[in-house]
Amino acid sequence: MSIRRQGSRFAWLMTGAAIGTTVVLVLALVVPVPRQQLLPVPLLLPGVLLAILLGGLLGLVPGVRDLEVTAARSMLGVDSELVVPSRPGLVHRAQDVVWVQLHLLLGLLVAAFLTMLLPASVLTLVEALRGGESTLVPTASTAAGRFGIAAAALLSAVLSLAAFLPLGRLAARLAPRLLGPTSRDRLELALARIDRESERTRIARELHDGIGHALTIVSIQAAAGGHVIARDQDAAAQSLAQIEATAREALLDLDEVLAGLRDEAADGEAADGEAAYGEVADGGAAPRLDRVLEDHRRAGLDLRASVAVPRGLSRLQHEHLARIVTELLTNAHRHGGAGPVQLRVAEGAAATGERVVSVETSNPLSTTALRRDDARSEGSEGSEGSEGSESSKASGVSKVPEASASRRRGRGLAGLRERLELWGGTLEAGPSDGSWRARAELPILSERPRHDP
C-alpha cells in the first residue's frame, strides 16, 4: 500500500474526528453540568457514544451521501461500485446514518489514540528511562521493572501511531456494503445498461444497414473500375460515377444517424409524423427500393427480381422494407457464389392470417461453403449467410476479398432479425440444396399516430 493512500485514509479519519469532536462539544453544551466541574468519568464514554449516535443523523442531510461517496473513492481508495441514488429510499437513508456514525466512531478512536494514549505512553517512557517516580503507572523499584515499563510504553506509542492503518482499511472494506448499490439499485443499473446497449445496437444496425451497404458497393465498384480502367475507360467512368453517387447517399444516411444522436430531428418528427405513417401513393416500388436494385445490378450482381410492394404500406415501413432488401442483397453479393440471385417481394399471409410483406432471396453458395461437411444452422449466423467469397470472372461480378469479408461476419443477419422483431416480423435463413435461402416477413401495420384535437 502506498504512503499516499495511507495519508489519504488518515485524512479521512481526521475529518471524522473533527466532526465527531464538534458533535461531542455541542452535546456537552446541552447536557447540564455544574460549573467548575468536569463530566464524571462514568458518564464520559456513554456521552461520546450518544454523540456518535446523534451525529449519524447528519447522514439524512441532502448531499452528505454525495460527499461520503466522493471521499470513499478519492481518500479511502474504494474501487467497488458506489451509488448516489436519485431517489433515496429508506434503505439508503439507514445506510447513510450508519456510515456517518462509523465515520465519526473511527475518527474519534484515532483521535483518542493520538491525543490521549500517545502522550501518556511517551510520558511513561521518559519517566521509566530517567528512573524517577511514575505519574501514570506504579513506579518500579528494580532496573528490570523499569525496562519492562519502558518497553510497554514504547509499544503503546507505536500502536497509537499505527492505529489508523487497520481502521482505515476497515472503513475501505465496509464502504461498498454501506454505500454500494442495494438490490433495487442493481435492478435500475441493469435496466439502464440494457437501455444503453439497446441504443448502441440500434446505432450499429443503422450504420450497418446504411453505411455498410454503401461501402460494399463502393468497394465492388472500385475493384471493377481498377480492372477495366486500362481497356474500357467508359466502364471505369461509370464505376467512378456510381462510387460518387453511393458515397453521397452514405453521407446523407450518416447525417441522419448523427442528427438522431443530437436530437436535432425531434421538432421535425412531430410535423412529419403523419407523413411517415401515411400510405404510399402508388403500389409499386419506392424510388429508394429501385435505387437499391439498380445499385446491385450496376455492381455486377446477376439479379432477377420480382417486386410487387403491396398497397397500404406506410412510408416508415417502406423504408424498413428497403433496408431489409438491401441487407439480403448485400449479403448475397458479398458472400454468395457465381450465379443469379433471385429476389421476390410480394404480399402474403402469416400463420396468424395477418397481412405481411414477404421478401425472399436465393443465391448460390460459394465454393468454400459447399466444401463444408455440414451446413451451419440459422442460429450460427456468424457467416452472414454463406461463408467465403470467391470472384467469378464468368459472372462478371467483383467480389469483396475473403479476408475482408471474414472480418465483417456476424452483424448483418443478427441486425436484420432485430429490425424485423421491432415490427413483429420474422426471418428464416440458411443453406438448402446448394443455395442460400432467406425469407423475411414484415407485418403490414395500418395504424396511424394519434393526435390530440
Side-chain angles (χ1 to χ4, degrees):
M1 189 67 67
S2 64
I3 297 177
R4 181 177 181 180
R5 176 56 52 79
Q6 296 299 340
S8 298
R9 290 182 176 179
F10 178 76
W12 182 85
L13 291 168
M14 287 296 96
T15 58
I19 298 173
T21 302
T22 303
V23 175
V24 171
L25 293 177
V26 172
L27 184 63
L29 294 176
V30 176
V31 175
V33 179
R35 293 185 178 182
Q36 299 178 352
Q37 290 186 10
L38 297 175
L39 187 66
V41 175
L43 296 179
L44 181 60
L45 182 59
V48 173
L49 294 178
L50 178 61
I52 293 174
L53 293 176
L54 295 177
L57 298 178
L58 293 173
L60 301 178
V61 178
V64 170
R65 187 181 180 101
D66 302 63
L67 296 176
E68 291 288 359
V69 167
T70 302
R73 289 171 176 166
S74 60
M75 303 178 74
L76 294 179
V78 178
D79 297 328
S80 302
E81 189 175 25
L82 306 179
V83 297
V84 179
S86 57
R87 293 175 296 177
L90 293 178
V91 177
H92 299 111
R93 301 296 188 187
Q95 287 179 335
D96 296 343
V97 170
V98 174
W99 177 253
V100 172
Q101 291 173 343
L102 179 67
H103 194 177
L104 301 184
L105 175 61
L106 297 181
L108 289 175
L109 284 176
V110 174
F113 280 119
L114 296 178
T115 61
M116 299 174 64
L117 184 58
L118 179 60
S121 299
V122 173
L123 178 61
T124 301
L125 176 60
V126 172
E127 291 177 344
L129 294 178
R130 288 182 177 180
E133 294 184 359
S134 298
T135 305
L136 302 176
V137 298
T139 303
S141 57
T142 61
R146 291 193 297 272
F147 177 78
I149 293 175
L154 179 60
L155 179 61
S156 177
V158 173
L159 291 178
S160 300
L161 291 173
F164 75 94
L165 295 174
L167 295 179
R169 182 175 299 178
L170 175 63
R173 296 190 63 177
L174 293 178
R177 297 186 179 183
L178 294 176
L179 298 178
T182 62
S183 57
R184 189 185 73 174
D185 294 332
R186 295 186 186 279
L187 177 59
E188 292 179 353
L189 290 173
L191 293 177
R193 291 193 186 100
I194 291 175
D195 291 340
R196 290 194 297 269
E197 290 298 327
S198 299
E199 182 64 14
R200 294 191 186 101
T201 301
R202 184 192 67 81
I203 296 173
R205 184 171 59 243
E206 294 294 333
L207 291 176
H208 179 277
D209 292 348
I211 309 302
H213 162 70
L215 291 179
T216 298
I217 298 298
V218 168
S219 176
I220 293 172
Q221 290 290 351
H227 285 301
V228 302
I229 190 171
R231 61 178 184 273
D232 192 345
Q233 294 185 357
D234 292 338
Q238 291 179 1
S239 296
L240 292 176
Q242 181 65 21
I243 290 174
E244 180 184 2
T246 304
R248 187 180 297 110
E249 292 182 4
L251 288 175
L252 294 177
D253 290 340
L254 181 60
D255 186 65
E256 290 179 2
V257 174
L258 296 178
L261 293 177
R262 295 190 298 264
D263 292 332
E264 291 180 355
D267 296 336
E269 288 178 358
D272 298 338
E274 190 69 32
Y277 282 87
E279 296 181 358
V280 177
D282 58 356
R288 172 154 188 168
L289 188 56
D290 289 336
R291 288 197 304 270
V292 170
L293 303 182
E294 184 64 24
D295 287 346
H296 282 280
R297 287 194 175 101
R298 289 180 179 177
L301 189 68
D302 185 5
L303 178 59
R304 303 176 183 180
S306 173
V307 178
V309 179
R311 294 183 179 275
L313 195 65
S314 67
R315 295 185 184 277
L316 186 59
Q317 284 194 300
H318 219 301
E319 178 70 19
H320 280 267
L321 176 61
R323 294 289 181 91
I324 293 169
V325 173
T326 297
E327 177 55 38
L328 292 178
L329 293 182
T330 301
N331 188 60
H333 208 156
R334 185 184 298 139
H335 303 294
V341 177
Q342 305 289 340
L343 169 66
R344 180 177 178 272
V345 179
E347 181 178 348
T352 58
E354 63 179 341
R355 296 174 60 208
V356 297
V357 181
S358 176
V359 181
E360 300 180 18
T361 60
S362 175
N363 61 276
L365 287 172
S366 65
T367 306
T368 303
L370 289 173
R371 286 199 298 261
R372 295 186 180 275
D373 295 332
D374 297 318
R376 296 194 176 191
S377 63
E378 182 185 351
S380 59
E381 294 169 353
S383 61
E384 281 192 285
S386 53
E387 294 188 359
S389 176
E390 294 186 355
S391 299
S392 175
K393 297 181 180 179
S395 64
V397 179
S398 299
K399 298 287 186 178
V400 179
E402 184 173 357
S404 175
S406 63
R407 290 194 297 266
R408 300 190 57 183
R409 296 171 182 165
R411 301 184 183 91
L413 293 182
L416 180 57
R417 176 171 282 108
E418 293 172 357
R419 179 180 294 277
L420 286 166
E421 288 177 351
L422 293 175
W423 295 90
T426 60
L427 172 66
E428 298 177 358
S432 176
D433 299 331
S435 299
W436 179 268
R437 302 180 185 276
R439 176 184 174 87
E441 290 186 350
L442 178 67
I444 300 177
L445 306 179
S446 57
E447 181 179 357
R448 298 174 181 268
R450 297 180 180 178
H451 296 279
D452 295 334

